[in-house]
């Protein structure tokens, strides 16, 4: 076996052992870096939003320079070109209507109206294609441009997937490293609440049309399981990325959480687990009040990621049954000193990672404001101090 | 006459949209002073803010009450022309340049309005000059800036510096999910807030009312 | 009724083979070959359509 293959296997074992709540040789490091990577690699945000080769190059640069267990990034999930091809009304990109180093902006709105529920429930795929996409894109004004935009959008997606697959091979062969997850999906409540109804829309629906909302959430369960497995191309080694939004405290009151947020999310996670697919429960914000509920999930079926959730309680309630990750505060990475970052990581290693089942990461996705020396301190401390 | 609007406040606190709107319409038909209804609704918003502070209400209730309030005010505002409202003071609020998240800002603005302040809401992606002009024009003793993206905290610092350089006598409150003592110091703000009701707490300190 | 419809079309399918096959009429060779290729492209189209809302 080549050195890189050995390294790959070592890292993968370390990562999987931790996800299985075991004690590897040392605490694994997964970094969830976004625009930070562009800055580090010396690209503008316009370049990484638009040019997929540069987007991927950001990750290459980082893994050449740092010893981490999984590939961070690529920083941009947004393919500017595809959104121009369709004329996305809901996105503003660096270098187009924004200055070339500004973060993209997603304009949230109720793109799906309350009146759309019946059609959505009847056949969501058809509704998205025939009603939603023409509504939120400017290129659907005549059949010629509409067909063209869909062809270009699909082609763009395939090209990007091809480049990522190629990059994945190179990361494995040349650097002995793999991406931190495969596939993505969402909580049904977030699928509806993020892009479709918007936050205000879904909050009103809970009061004004709860039955329709519940019916739509139910319809989404199978779709979200399928979408997760399909985007993972069937892989069950790495966890599925699931960014969780509206379930964090204090968005919903406890009855709403129990009634609208949790039941369908639980079904999606359990459905994925039946396929052998573990979920990276990327809990943005604070989830402390819901830890007991989350503990109802099958052992090891998630990696519970801690952003602002109380880490001590998370360990108390979920530890031993689920791997935990994260929690190095993003504000510390921006405003703190390397010593402070190092101390925080040591504390996490002593108090949380001590029994295994822990992956080092920042609390939230790291944007361009983090200091390089602080990211370095996080990695070096884990490499030295995180040895079991 | 007051009968028409009995229970208006409670209907808002109970988040009963149809009841609130029915009562406002009935009140207008019966010739109830629109300002009296606004006062009842404001009292309702204060109660809702208190419930949030006590952990009895969540963001979903704040957002729902905001939507009801919007619909009620759409009925009342045309009738309010020429009526002078008394305010506890002027507050300028906005989301800083580069950031377009307005959930937190809108909720804080709504609770401040409910508490009786005149809130000048500059919207999102607001540059320094716009903040400075609004503070000057309204002689506002309090400037509230909202930011979600940590990457926009640097521009926030620049804006605060520009406000200080302009020699304005104004207290600066910064708010957002990822704001803390460290960010406050870094940006040179006077106060920071992370939850919906922090805005009202700070305003009470600044205005003494 | 709404729920009937959504039950009829499972995830990964946009236009079910059962409907398509009616348009084709008589199939002189191996139906499974045609069907499996149809379904592969169906699955791709499905993920592409949902990609616009799952993010």
């Amino acid at each position: 076996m080549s050195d890189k293959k050995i390294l790959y296997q070592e890292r993968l074992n370390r990562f999987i052992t931790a996800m299985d709540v075991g004690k590897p040789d040392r605490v694994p490091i997964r970094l969830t870096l976004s625009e930070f990577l562009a800055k580090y690699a010396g690209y503008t945000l316009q370049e990484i939003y638009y040019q997929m080769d540069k987007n991927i190059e950001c990750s290459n640069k980082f893994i050449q320079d740092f010893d981490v267990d999984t590939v961070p990034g690529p920083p941009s999930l947004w393919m500017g070109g595809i959104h121009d091809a369709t004329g996305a009304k809901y996105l503003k990109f660096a270098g187009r209507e924004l200055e070339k180093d500004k973060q993209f902006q997603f304009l949230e709105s109720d793109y799906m109206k309350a009146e759309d529920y019946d059609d959505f429930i009847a056949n969501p795929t058809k509704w998205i294609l025939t009603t939603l996409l023409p509504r939120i894109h400017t290129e659907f004004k005549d059949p010629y441009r509409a067909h063209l935009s869909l062809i270009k959008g699909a082609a763009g997606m395939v090209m990007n997937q091809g480049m990522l697959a190629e990059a994945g091979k190179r990361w494995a062969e040349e650097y002995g490293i793999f991406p931190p997850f495969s596939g993505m999906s969402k909580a049904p409540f977030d699928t509806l609440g993020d892009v479709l109804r918007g936050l205000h829309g879904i909050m009103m629906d809970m009061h004004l049309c709860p039955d329709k909302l519940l019916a739509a959430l139910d319809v989404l369960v199978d779709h979200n399981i399928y979408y997760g497995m399909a985007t993972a191309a069937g892989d069950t080694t790495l966890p599925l990325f699931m960014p969780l939004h509206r379930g964090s405290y204090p968005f919903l009151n406890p009855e709403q959480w129990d009634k609208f947020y949790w039941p369908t999310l639980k079904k999606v996670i359990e459905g994925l687990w039946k396929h052998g697919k573990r979920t990276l429960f990327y809990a943005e914000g604070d989830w402390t009040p819901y830890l007991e509920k989350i503990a109802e999930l099958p052992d090891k079926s998630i990696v519970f990621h801690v952003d602002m959730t109380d880490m001590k309680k998370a360990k108390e309630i979920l530890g031993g049954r689920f791997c935990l990750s994260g929690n190095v505060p993003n504000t510390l990475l921006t405003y703190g000193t390397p010593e402070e970052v190092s101390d925080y990581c040591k504390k996490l290693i002593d108090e949380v990672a001590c029994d295994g089942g822990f992956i080092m990461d920042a609390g939230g996705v790291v944007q361009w404001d983090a200091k390089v020396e602080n990211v370095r301190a996080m990695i070096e401390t884990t490499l030295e101090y995180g040895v079991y | 006459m007051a009968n028409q609007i009995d229970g208006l406040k409670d209907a808002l606190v109970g988040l009963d949209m149809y009841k609130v709107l029915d009562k406002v319409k009935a009140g207008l038909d019966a010739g109830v002073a629109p300002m009296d209804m606004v006062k009842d609704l404001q009292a309702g918003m204060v109660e809702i803010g208190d419930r949030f502070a006590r952990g009895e209400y969540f963001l979903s209730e704040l957002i729902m009450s905001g939507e009801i309030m919007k619909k009620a005010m759409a009925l009342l505002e045309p009738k309010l022309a020429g009526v002078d409202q008394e305010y506890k003071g002027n507050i300028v609020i906005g989301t800083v340049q580069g950031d377009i998240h307005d959930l937190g800002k809108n909720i804080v603005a709504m609770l401040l309005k409910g508490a009786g302040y005149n809130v000048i809401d500059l919207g999102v992606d607001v540059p320094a000059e716009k903040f400075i002009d609004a503070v000057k024009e309204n002689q506002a003793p309090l400037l509230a800036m909202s930011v979600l993206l940590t990457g926009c905290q640097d521009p926030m610092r620049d804006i605060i510096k520009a406000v200080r350089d302009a020699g304005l006598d104004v207290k600066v409150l910064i708010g957002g999910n990822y704001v803390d003592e460290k960010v406050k110091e870094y940006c040179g703000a006077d106060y920071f807030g992370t939850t919906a009701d922090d805005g009202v707490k700070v305003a009470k300190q600044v205005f003494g009312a | 009724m709404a729920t009937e419809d959504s039950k009829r079309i499972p995830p990964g399918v946009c236009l079910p083979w059962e409907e398509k096959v009616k348009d084709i009429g008589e199939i002189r060779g191996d139906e499974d070959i045609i069907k499996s290729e149809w379904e592969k492209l169906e699955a791709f189209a499905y993920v592409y359509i949902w990609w616009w809302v799952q993010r």
Side-chain angles (χ1 to χ4, degrees):
Chain A
M1 255 202 301
S2 74
D3 288 357
K4 296 299 171 194
K5 268 198 181 143
I6 294 169
L7 192 58
Y8 183 96
Q9 211 49 53
E10 261 177 32
R11 282 171 170 156
L12 189 60
N13 288 344
R14 185 177 294 134
F15 196 62
I16 291 173
T17 305
M19 289 196 299
D20 281 336
V21 207
K23 230 188 228 188
D25 55 339
R26 80 161 154 73
V27 174
I29 316 168
R30 171 191 74 218
L31 286 171
T32 314
L33 308 175
S34 64
E35 283 82 358
F36 172 87
L37 281 177
K39 192 173 154 191
Y40 182 75
Y43 292 117
T44 65
L45 294 185
Q46 178 183 13
E47 285 172 316
I48 61 143
Y49 292 152
Y50 272 93
Q51 295 172 294
M52 296 305 104
D53 52 339
K54 289 182 179 163
N55 189 36
I56 288 168
E57 190 50 39
C58 292
S59 294
N60 294 345
K61 168 88 176 127
F62 192 86
I63 54 180
Q64 277 161 21
D65 295 355
F66 292 97
D67 186 4
V68 283
D69 291 311
T70 67
V71 182
S76 165
L77 304 170
W78 304 98
M79 293 161 265
I82 293 185
H83 293 92
D84 288 343
T86 51
K89 295 176 190 169
Y90 47 87
L91 276 172
K92 289 187 180 178
F93 278 115
R96 203 178 60 189
E97 54 281 86
L98 304 175
E99 288 158 50
K100 63 183 186 201
D101 252 328
K102 265 200 170 185
Q103 189 171 17
F104 73 91
Q105 299 181 344
F106 176 78
L107 311 174
E108 195 182 304
S109 184
D110 55 342
Y111 296 114
M112 171 179 166
K113 307 291 169 196
E115 303 81 73
D116 291 321
Y117 266 114
D118 289 341
D119 291 341
F120 179 85
I121 291 163
N123 187 341
T125 311
K126 187 174 173 185
W127 179 83
I128 294 166
L129 182 63
T130 58
T131 305
L132 180 75
L133 296 188
R135 186 184 286 169
I136 61 175
H137 296 103
T138 57
E139 286 297 323
F140 285 73
K141 51 187 138 199
D142 66 54
Y144 178 67
R145 291 177 70 155
H147 298 324
L148 200 54
S149 82
L150 285 171
I151 294 168
K152 289 198 277 188
M157 194 168 104
V158 173
M159 288 180 209
N160 189 45
Q161 277 172 350
M163 286 174 79
L164 281 173
E166 191 91 348
K169 255 189 227 160
R170 266 186 62 203
W171 288 330
E173 283 166 12
E174 292 176 27
Y175 304 100
I177 193 169
F178 48 89
F181 32 74
S182 62
M184 78 91 68
S185 193
K186 284 190 158 193
F189 192 92
D190 287 332
T191 301
L192 272 176
D194 286 347
V195 177
L196 296 174
R197 291 288 290 133
L199 180 62
H200 284 235
I202 204 162
M203 293 291 173
M204 301 211 12
D205 296 342
M206 289 191 292
H207 291 277
L208 302 177
C209 54
D211 294 339
K212 286 193 177 174
L213 171 56
L214 286 171
L217 292 169
D218 260 343
V219 164
L220 279 168
V221 170
D222 288 345
H223 287 283
N224 286 19
I225 295 169
Y226 181 92
Y227 189 83
M229 290 310 295
T231 49
D235 169 71
T236 54
T237 306
L238 301 173
L240 170 119
F241 185 58
M242 191 180 281
L244 294 155
H245 299 144
R246 307 309 188 199
S248 75
Y249 174 85
F251 273 110
L252 305 180
N253 71 41
E255 297 84 58
Q256 289 170 332
W257 200 88
D258 288 347
K259 186 174 174 186
F260 295 102
Y261 199 84
W262 181 235
T264 48
L265 170 57
K266 193 178 175 200
K267 280 185 198 163
V268 170
I269 291 171
E270 287 172 346
L272 288 164
W273 189 235
K274 278 196 192 122
H275 290 284
K277 185 73 174 171
R278 188 181 345 239
T279 297
L280 169 55
F281 195 108
Y282 200 80
E284 295 183 20
D286 179 6
W287 292 68
T288 312
Y290 313 118
L291 290 169
E292 301 276 359
K293 289 277 175 179
I294 293 165
E296 291 171 2
L297 292 167
D299 286 8
K300 302 177 187 175
S301 61
I302 58 167
V303 173
F304 184 81
H305 182 79
V306 175
D307 177 11
M308 292 160 103
T309 303
D310 184 328
M311 184 48 115
K312 222 176 132 190
K313 286 208 175 122
K315 171 143 172 99
E316 216 175 272
I317 297 168
L318 301 176
R321 293 183 47 221
F322 304 96
C323 175
L324 301 173
S325 71
N327 188 236
V328 179
N330 291 60
T331 49
L332 193 62
L333 291 173
T334 303
Y335 302 108
T337 61
E339 292 71 38
E340 286 173 308
V341 171
S342 183
D343 288 346
Y344 199 96
C345 293
K346 283 182 184 165
K347 202 169 154 243
L348 280 176
I349 292 167
D350 287 339
E351 292 172 9
V352 188
C354 49
D355 311 311
F358 181 77
I359 297 168
M360 188 65 80
D361 194 356
V365 175
V366 178
Q367 292 166 8
W368 72 91
D369 49 301
K371 285 188 200 144
V372 176
E373 61 266 32
N374 287 344
V375 173
R376 181 175 289 121
M378 201 176 144
I379 295 168
E380 283 172 1
T381 306
T382 312
L383 291 178
E384 285 161 26
Y385 196 78
V387 177
Y388 284 108
Chain B
M1 274 218 304
N3 294 342
Q4 266 81 20
I5 59 165
D6 270 358
L8 179 58
K9 177 189 155 185
D10 291 343
L12 178 62
V13 174
L15 306 175
D16 190 336
M17 181 169 89
Y18 299 116
K19 204 167 170 187
V20 169
L21 298 180
D22 284 349
K23 284 198 175 291
V24 169
K25 281 179 205 152
L28 288 173
D29 287 346
V32 177
M35 206 55 225
D36 290 347
M37 288 193 267
V38 172
K39 279 183 185 152
D40 275 10
L41 290 169
Q42 283 182 335
M45 291 309 297
V46 171
E47 170 67 27
I48 287 165
D50 288 346
R51 288 192 184 193
F52 180 84
R54 290 198 299 266
E56 295 162 19
Y57 268 7
F58 293 72
L59 289 173
S60 73
E61 281 92 359
L62 294 185
I63 291 168
M64 187 65 200
S65 62
E67 292 294 326
I68 300 172
M69 195 70 182
K70 235 191 260 168
K71 289 194 162 65
M73 289 309 289
L75 297 172
L76 287 165
E77 252 155 18
K79 319 276 175 185
L80 281 171
V83 182
D84 268 338
Q85 211 180 333
E86 275 175 37
Y87 294 114
K88 290 179 185 166
N90 294 342
I91 300 173
V92 170
I93 194 168
T95 300
V96 302
Q97 193 163 27
D99 200 339
I100 56 162
H101 292 91
D102 61 0
L103 168 67
K105 179 206 58 125
N106 289 348
I107 290 175
V108 170
M110 174 179 99
L111 292 176
L112 287 170
K113 279 184 202 165
Y117 298 97
N118 180 34
V119 178
I120 300 108
D121 188 342
L122 303 178
V124 299
D125 201 4
V126 180
E129 315 83 68
K130 227 172 136 185
F131 277 118
I132 292 170
D133 290 349
V135 169
K136 274 189 196 156
E137 199 178 305
N138 298 284
Q139 295 182 324
L142 179 60
L143 165 61
M145 278 190 263
S146 170
V147 68
L148 178 71
L149 302 174
T150 52
C152 292
Q153 290 173 351
D154 254 335
M156 186 160 75
R157 181 194 196 195
D158 298 341
I159 294 172
I160 295 175
K161 190 176 175 299
V163 168
R164 307 286 192 216
D165 288 349
L168 298 172
D169 181 23
V170 60
K171 297 285 184 200
V172 178
L173 160 67
I174 60 173
N177 209 28
Y178 296 98
V179 159
D180 56 19
E181 191 64 40
K182 262 197 157 59
V183 180
K184 188 197 96 175
E185 271 172 39
Y186 176 79
C187 295
D190 299 293
Y191 306 93
F192 78 92
T194 52
T195 68
D197 52 312
D198 283 345
V200 174
K201 278 187 213 152
V202 169
K204 276 185 186 157
Q205 280 186 52
V206 172
F207 293 90
Chain C
M1 190 43 222
T3 43
E4 293 285 301
D5 213 17
S6 53
K7 260 184 211 148
R8 211 179 63 221
I9 303 179
V13 177
C14 309
L15 185 65
W17 171 250
E18 294 69 33
E19 273 184 52
K20 175 68 185 174
V21 81
K22 285 182 214 154
D23 291 352
I24 298 179
E26 191 199 350
I27 291 172
R28 304 176 73 166
D30 188 340
E31 178 175 335
D32 285 345
I33 293 176
I34 306 172
K35 184 178 176 218
S36 78
E37 289 306 304
W38 174 263
E39 285 175 346
K40 271 187 219 162
L41 288 171
E42 274 285 304
F44 172 80
Y46 172 90
V47 171
Y48 174 62
I49 291 169
W50 280 80
W51 176 78
W52 296 97
V53 299
Q54 297 285 26
R55 53 208 183 130

